[in-house]
Amino acid sequence: MASYSDRKRHTTSPNDTKMTSPRYEKWNRDDLYHLAKMRGIEERARMSNEELIQALRTQG
């Protein structure tokens, strides 16, 4: 019998092909800044909302 991880690897669902990321555009600056701080993004205080969003998305 295959293990759970083996079965999961070989199954597909409609959502597997979609790459979704959080909709940071609707977040306010304080929330973006706080998440950036938690993730250790440097220079976050000098970043605009758009720059924070880009940094959060590239970091993963």
Side-chain angles (χ1 to χ4, degrees):
M1 184 167 129
S3 69
Y4 175 75
S5 61
D6 290 338
R7 284 184 288 179
K8 186 173 182 179
R9 186 176 5 177
H10 298 294
T11 61
T12 59
S13 73
N15 293 333
D16 288 345
T17 57
K18 292 182 188 176
M19 293 298 293
T20 59
S21 58
R23 304 218 9 130
Y24 292 129
E25 289 81 11
K26 295 188 178 203
W27 291 29
N28 65 37
R29 177 157 172 64
D30 290 339
D31 292 337
L32 291 168
Y33 179 86
H34 180 69
L35 184 57
K37 183 177 180 181
M38 287 175 46
R39 292 190 179 176
I41 295 174
E42 295 182 16
E43 302 291 326
R44 62 189 171 271
R46 297 180 181 169
M47 292 182 184
S48 67
N49 283 9
E50 292 79 21
E51 291 170 325
L52 285 168
I53 290 168
Q54 183 179 2
L56 289 166
R57 286 194 173 140
T58 58
Q59 189 191 33

